[in-house]
Amino acid sequence: MSQQGYVTAPPYSQSQPRVGGFSAGFGPPNSSLHYGHYGDPNSSHAAAPQPGMSKSTVTLGSSAPLGPLPPGTHQVSQNNFQSGPSAAGQQPHRFQSPLPPNNTGPSYPPGSHQSQPASPNTVSTSCTTLANQLNSMQINSYGPGAIQSSHTSSGHPASFQGPQQLPLTQHQMTLQPGPQIPPPANNFSGLCAQSSLPSMSRQDGMPGSGLPNPNLQQLPGQTPGPGYHPQQANYGLQMAGSQLSYPGAFPGGPAQLSGPPQKKLDPDSIPSPTPLYVVNHGETGPIRCNRCKAYMCPFMQFIEGGRRYQCGFCNCINEVPPFFFQHLDHIGRRVDHYERPELSLGSYEYVATLDYCRNNKPPNPPAYIFMIDVSYRNINSGLVKLICDELKTLLDKLPREEEEESSAIRVGFVTYNKVLHFFNVKSNLAQPQMMVVSDVGEVFVPLLDGFLVNFQESRSVVHNLLDQIPEMFADTNESETIFAPVIQAGMEALKAAECAGKLFIFHSSLPTAEAPGKLRNRDDKKLLSTDKEKTLFQPQVNSYESLARDCVANGCCVNLFLFPNQYVDIASLGLVTMYTGGTLYKYNNFQLNSDSPQFLTDLRRDIEKKTGFDAIMRVRTSTGFRATDFFGAMYMNNTTDVEMAAVDCDKAVTVEFKHDDKLNEDSGALIQCAVLYTSVSGQRRLRIHNIGLNCSTQLADVYKTCETDALINFFAKSAFKAILSQPLKVVREILVSQTAHMLACYRKNCASPSTASQLILPDAMKVLPVYMNCLLKSTVLTGRPEIPTDERAYHRQLVMSMGVADTQLFFYPQLLPIHNLDLKSDTVPAAVRCSEERLSEGGAFILANGLSMFLWLGVSTPPELIQGLFNVPSFAHISTEATLLPDLANPYSKKIKSIVEHIQNQKPYTMKLMIVKQREQPEMLFRQFLVEDKSIHGGASYVDFLCCVHKEICQLLN
């Protein structure tokens, strides 16, 4: 042990301190402190955080709205930077270059802050064995005012200082003996960023993030330029703290920019938070640093009268191309600073040149291939007919660019069981033609012309085909299926057409037919809690990994809709989906009547959402730190390029940074994320995201600005990745050790002196223990025989691609009381803690975690609520078979249905509603989601886990 004792990092850590993760991908942002990752479990020491270091987890992830705010917290602000080709229903702003000097127009409306009401801050303990421990334990949470030696680092134009600078007053919570437990918090603030396809917004302190800033005024005397809506001389919320002094820095206050107030605002002239500005430099292409290849951005400093610029990432001096030259004003800033998105916005897009295209040729528009399992079970259940009937409607809603009248995406159709059936649906045919490929060992595409077609041109032939498929296989007795050859066939079809695209595969069983990728049932419960348990999460055969690699190389994304009624080996089948940036959907024991709404809603949303294809992402940083690890639905062929056959608004890539040199408090830490992709129209584009982080020599500042929700996203993904190579017991022990080390380090170095019986929690991390306990109790990390192996593999895959808001909701569900609703109010009731203590016999509650939704009804639920919801007279008459609430014309029904729709809105997966009556058998499933209580699968209660962590901390301190 070093002199600092517990400050030496736990055995999983690397030898160097790290700068958090950067969730590079697609949705709401968050950042936080963390230590290391899963490494050699036998190594004994690793270094502690060093001065000048900033640790953060920046998540470019899911564009879904914030997950449930576990009660008792306040959402200060949401720093969103979501990315995508363009928001649905909105056209990207075109911006031709070079431009004459222009000016700014109307000012933005003021930004807003959201907050969540606090819920009661107490909960009764469920374990009498803890009484003595709790009686002697005090739990304190210190805010900024209680931190010793705290030093606020200088501001940075790209850093998220607004939400970080909370009132500097001490926030101390002392939990006296017994029942008082700090509620979970949602700290969406600080050092983080999320990008999302297809929508895009930034709500941060970046220069020009495209969002309201009530503190800055319009520059007088300028006129708007062509192709670029009039811009105010501000693009983001006013930041606290000083700004960097380089010419590109954003002005610090309203005194520097002033002008007459606007009398009237034209709604069309106000910049939208979602469509991205598209910069087109023609054949010249994007301007990049000669040394590090970073793209032109607000971090570049123009010098020598504007003839050169210094790269903010590597400090290289570069010549300014003649067409891009512009004079500097009296403070050293280009006079066209606010006219160019690449100089004034945090996120923007470039039109890529042929140098960025495969084989230096413009890409073709992408294609969607629908591949339907027509084995006996799917035909007999009515699933095939359901899919075919729905596609006739959905194909009219294929994604398109806003300025286009119809979608450029082509479509193709394949059915399969033990063999493959390709269909020619060329527009000049009277009837579709079927071609059978029976040699599934060496798959080939039997036709090119007529397989991938424009739906509008071949509408009648396609409709004929979709009508005929259920009848064509109505008498089939074939129950065996193939799987890997199906993906191979789709990939070869896209490759032959020289385009990227998606495969929509509808599959229901373990592929046991003789063919590449054949699988056996290996669901062996004897492997649980052994060193071989990790093999259950690994693919059964190597062919799926090589197939995934080929798919990524050819821009083939695989979306998989599974309808299993038994084990199907999701760890193997889902591998290609995860590596290609696809989405996995699973509907256990699919029943046409009860499960169709959930499946069809998922299918509609997936087909309609805008997507980027054949994507490559690279993250660049300023000197002093670098990206070292990536987590998400993607593939990496080397250590720097993140490859995704497709990327959309529901995916997030979390990036971990390693601090390997001195960081400067004045210049901060800069990050640029560039995503090269093909749009739905076939245009090659570059999406650029820029963010700056503050650095500090004070450890207390790191704790002050960390974010628990981003921490959990990082820890969950790193743990779920680690279980592929380490025993689950080791992974769980590492998580507990990480929690204890972080809290012990804070107590020793940052907190005020206190007695050993007190559990001291940083204000920004006061709910870290409850979330960490939820992660430890997740089905993935809980090896119990009653938990299906496929369910664990499914959850693991989903979490690996989730954004921060989605992981927060997934691990700590939202529990809403609906028995005392204000029927005249438009608000959603405040969430309560996920514990049985919050339930009551006279209550009714909605619980949702992003995948499942429950309506729990107490035995004494008010009759008027039962009548209003179900149109039945009493509790005994309620049927639990329904998965949708009936449409009734009364205030109760309308209000609760609106709450359900609000919870479901923008979630990546449709949640099937399950009605649960108190003291009936299905209630056991519902209780698994009451995460603050002891799990029926053996997981500790929140109180138990607090005691465990407190004990670990005391041992480290001693």
Side-chain angles (χ1 to χ4, degrees), residues 104-108 218 230-233 262 264-266 269-271:
T104 60
S107 59
Y108 295 154
Q218 174 194 4
Q231 297 295 301
Q232 184 186 347
Q262 294 294 316
K264 185 178 180 181
L265 291 177
D266 177 7
S269 70
I270 302 173

Side-chain angles (χ1 to χ4, degrees), residues 142 146-148 745-754 760:
Y142 288 95
I147 296 177
Q148 297 175 331
C745 183
Y746 174 81
R747 175 161 184 165
K748 182 173 178 67
N749 295 289
C750 308
S752 301
S754 59
I760 309 297

Side-chain angles (χ1 to χ4, degrees), residues 813-816 818 844-857 883 885 896 900 903 911-917 921-930:
Q814 196 172 28
L815 183 62
L816 305 177
I818 59 170
F845 296 81
I846 292 176
L847 183 146
N849 76 337
L851 294 182
S852 305
M853 183 182 295
F854 298 87
L855 173 57
W856 183 90
L857 301 166
T883 58
L885 294 175
I896 293 176
V900 171
I903 296 172
M911 292 178 279
K912 177 182 174 181
L913 180 66
M914 182 174 180
I915 298 172
V916 176
K917 297 167 71 173
Q921 183 62 31
E923 191 181 22
M924 294 298 293
L925 178 60
F926 168 79
R927 290 183 181 277
Q928 295 178 25
F929 295 87
L930 301 177

Side-chain angles (χ1 to χ4, degrees), residues 89-111:
Q90 293 173 311
Q91 179 177 356
H93 300 278
R94 301 288 174 175
F95 190 96
Q96 300 297 327
S97 179
L99 289 177
N102 7 340
N103 224 19
T104 60
S107 59
Y108 295 154

